[in-house]
Amino acid sequence: MSWKITTFAPRPVIEAALIAHEDVFDWDPDIVISGSEVAEDQPEDWRLEAWLPRRPTRADRAAVAGLFAGEVPDLTVEKLPETDWLTLSQHGVQPIRAGRFHVHTPEHPAAVEPGLRDFVIPASQAFGTGQHATTSGCLTMLTEMRRRGVIVRNCADIGTGTGLLAFAALDLWPRALATASDIDHVCTGVVIDNAGANGVPLGAGSGQLTMLIADGMDHPLLTARGPYDLIIANILAGPLISLAPDFGRHLVPGGHLLLAGLLETQEAQVRSACRAAGLRLAARLVRGDWSILWLRKRTDWRRPRGR
């Protein structure tokens, strides 16, 4: 049984609520929040939606209302039919091309073009079929890294979802050690299935992908396999800020960090946290409202005493 709370407001109001949500550290993980424009021809009219696996309680409604600093827009509550909404939302999505990659669901044919790597990523219970601006932006940035001569021998994709970005990294640097992790246990099966469908070898050796479940960088295997030449994290601004010191510690001097999942309005906070961790900006992309950041660890960085 699923329920949804919906409210409508101008874009700045909804964006401010999304930012406020990321600052709530004791947020109930059962309540999933998203914001989007009402229609393509109404770019300033947005909705905020909160999905729950239960009938919303008074406390649930208060939590959503508490995301708004001023007057709270009207909240509507509805019971949803028994449907896998994430899977349904991904059916029929159009293929995308980003950098040297073509990504599509099984409903669409593969692309056959020299120099283009085709990935088929079915609709699933994990994020990352490539259509979202953050995922396609990461694919573009990874391609640009390779074009500029970046060498990767050891990489990690934190919050991998479907595994797509880890697959792309292995395609660009086929001899690298690769580790993919996610906090959601369902991703293990999703990544294994997608790796098989796309010819990505699983294992612990060079050119193979190791999948594990971890909260951020908190896993003994992630520590043991580091330090990394490249860390990818397409998650959310709040966790990116919290994890910035860990990313810095687990990168080699001069190593590369690719971040996404942050709104452009959140970029300054994320970059500030990364700067404090010895990371400096190498390049950035903006896709719609989203920033994609390529950062590098300073070669002369020394961790401050007491941290």
Side-chain angles (χ1 to χ4, degrees):
M1 185 182 299
S2 297
W3 292 74
K4 183 172 71 168
I5 301 173
T6 306
T7 187
F8 296 88
R11 169 179 162 179
V13 175
I14 299 297
E15 287 185 341
L18 292 171
I19 294 172
H21 165 251
E22 295 194 11
D23 291 333
V24 181
F25 290 101
D26 60 348
W27 184 264
D28 185 342
D30 284 342
I31 307 177
V32 179
I33 296 286
S34 74
S36 61
E37 60 187 29
V38 172
E40 289 186 5
D41 59 350
Q42 298 173 256
E44 297 305 313
D45 296 330
W46 277 44
R47 68 168 68 87
L48 184 142
E49 296 170 302
W51 285 269
L52 301 92
R54 59 178 182 269
R55 186 185 185 110
T57 64
R58 181 178 299 177
D60 294 332
R61 293 193 295 271
V64 175
L67 299 176
F68 296 90
E71 183 178 352
V72 180
D74 291 336
L75 303 178
T76 60
V77 178
E78 61 180 311
K79 181 181 178 181
L80 303 175
E82 294 184 7
T83 306
D84 183 344
W85 289 100
L86 178 58
T87 299
L88 182 62
S89 70
Q90 295 176 2
H91 276 301
V93 293
Q94 295 300 309
I96 63 106
R97 178 167 178 169
R100 60 162 282 151
F101 302 104
H102 178 263
V103 187
H104 62 99
T105 57
E107 293 80 14
H108 295 276
V112 181
E113 182 179 326
L116 191 67
R117 176 62 157 100
D118 187 89
F119 286 119
V120 55
I121 304 292
S124 71
Q125 293 177 299
F127 177 81
T129 57
Q131 280 72 23
H132 195 276
T134 60
T135 311
S136 62
C138 285
L139 293 172
T140 300
M141 191 68 90
L142 286 169
T143 302
E144 179 64 12
M145 287 180 175
R146 182 66 179 83
R147 188 188 70 80
R148 294 193 192 182
V150 170
I151 296 172
V152 175
R153 300 179 181 87
N154 190 7
C155 65
D157 179 17
I158 308 302
T160 192
T162 61
L164 175 59
L165 296 181
F167 300 166
L170 266 180
D171 181 74
L172 292 166
W173 296 281
R175 296 183 180 179
L177 291 172
T179 309
S181 72
D182 203 285
I183 196 171
D184 190 345
H185 286 264
V186 77
C187 293
T188 299
V190 171
V191 170
I192 290 172
D193 290 345
N194 287 340
N198 289 282
V200 177
L202 298 173
S206 174
Q208 298 178 323
L209 179 65
T210 297
M211 174 63 196
L212 53 88
I213 299 299
D215 183 357
M217 301 294 297
D218 186 17
H219 193 287
L221 189 55
L222 277 172
T223 299
R225 288 173 69 88
Y228 299 94
D229 304 301
L230 169 65
I231 295 176
I232 305 165
N234 180 15
I235 41 180
L236 294 170
L240 292 178
I241 292 169
S242 299
L243 287 168
D246 288 339
F247 292 151
R249 280 194 294 270
H250 287 83
L251 282 169
V252 299
H256 305 269
L257 177 64
L258 177 57
L259 301 183
L262 59 144
L263 293 165
E264 191 177 6
T265 54
Q266 300 166 322
E267 183 178 331
Q269 293 172 284
V270 174
R271 286 174 61 177
S272 177
C274 290
R275 197 160 46 244
L279 300 155
R280 59 187 179 187
L281 187 70
R284 66 189 285 268
L285 287 175
V286 176
R287 293 287 177 88
D289 299 316
W290 304 92
S291 294
I292 296 90
L293 307 179
W294 169 12
L295 303 108
R296 295 197 67 184
K297 183 176 177 178
R298 290 168 46 186
T299 56
D300 60 347
W301 177 251
R302 296 292 183 271
R303 185 180 176 187
R305 292 185 178 182
R307 296 189 181 182

